[in-house]
């Protein structure tokens, strides 16, 4: 497990509250962790990590806001295959079998199964070619209210 992450500083001298890559991992600060714990207590698991700047200078707020690697929970089988757009292949099981990854763009429809995601606020889905990550509307709203990005 990594002990630190080296990052570049943005123009304000701070680090985003959430850092992540399409395949993961996601690294969150204490404020994001607090929101996740409020929404889904005890569901997520966290590993502390030190964030260091690549220029060696202090990062604004680093001493007061620890960061954590968000450890992955088991993926949810949360996609409605028949109602989701699978790239240029369209919708349905046949399109999913041919393409297998979620489409991207404005004309894409991703349909989630409410019965599966209910009560979850940050989760991943395992497709045939990798993982996709999702967050609930409630999580997005709370992050926005706190001015977190």
């Amino acid at each position: 497990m990594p002990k630190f992450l080296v990052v570049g500083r943005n123009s304000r001298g701070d680090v985003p509250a959430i850092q992540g890559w399409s395949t993961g991992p996601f690294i969150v600060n204490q404020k994001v962790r607090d929101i996740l714990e409020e929404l889904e207590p005890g569901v997520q698991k966290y590993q502390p990590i030190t964030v260091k700047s690549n220029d060696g200078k202090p990062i604004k707020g680093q001493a007061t806001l620890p960061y954590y690697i968000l450890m992955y929970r088991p993926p949810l089988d949360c996609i409605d295959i028949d109602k989701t757009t699978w790239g240029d292949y369209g919708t349905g099981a046949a399109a999913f079998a041919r393409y297998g990854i979620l489409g991207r763009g404005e004309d894409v429809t991703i349909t989630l199964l409410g019965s599966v995601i209910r009560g979850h606020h940050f989760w991943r889905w395992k497709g045939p070619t990798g993982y996709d990550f999702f967050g609930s509307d409630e999580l997005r709203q709370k992050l926005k209210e706190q001015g977190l990005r």
Side-chain angles (χ1 to χ4, degrees), residues 54 58 81:
N54 60 1
I81 302 291

Side-chain angles (χ1 to χ4, degrees), residues 21-35:
W21 298 263
S22 61
T23 58
F26 283 83
I27 297 172
V28 301
N29 72 11
Q30 184 67 49
K31 289 180 181 179
V32 175
R33 180 181 174 168
D34 291 346
I35 290 170

Side-chain angles (χ1 to χ4, degrees), residues 20-149:
W21 298 263
S22 61
T23 58
F26 283 83
I27 297 172
V28 301
N29 72 11
Q30 184 67 49
K31 289 180 181 179
V32 175
R33 180 181 174 168
D34 291 346
I35 290 170
L36 283 167
E37 285 302 306
E38 175 188 336
L39 292 171
E40 47 184 16
V43 171
Q44 303 294 338
K45 303 297 178 210
Y46 308 89
Q47 177 70 36
I49 189 167
T50 300
V51 175
K52 299 179 179 184
S53 68
N54 60 1
D55 62 8
K57 295 179 182 176
I59 297 171
K60 179 180 172 184
Q62 178 178 328
T64 58
L65 287 178
Y67 280 81
Y68 304 90
I69 299 172
L70 192 55
M71 307 304 289
Y72 298 135
R73 308 302 301 151
L76 298 179
D77 188 11
C78 61
I79 303 291
D80 186 329
I81 302 291
D82 293 325
K83 295 179 182 173
T84 293
T85 304
W86 303 102
D88 295 333
Y89 295 109
T91 59
F96 174 69
R98 287 188 67 198
Y99 196 65
I101 62 174
L102 294 174
R104 306 282 191 253
E106 291 182 18
D107 59 340
V108 168
T109 301
I110 299 171
T111 304
L112 301 173
L113 297 168
S115 60
V116 175
I117 66 169
R118 189 168 293 113
H120 294 278
H121 295 279
F122 185 78
W123 70 93
R124 64 186 177 139
W125 171 74
K126 169 92 172 80
T129 59
Y131 292 96
D132 285 284
F133 292 84
F134 296 89
S136 69
D137 292 339
E138 295 94 337
L139 175 59
R140 182 178 183 195
Q141 183 60 37
K142 287 195 174 284
L143 292 171
K144 186 177 178 181
E145 288 169 3
Q146 294 277 331
L148 301 173
R149 51 183 181 81

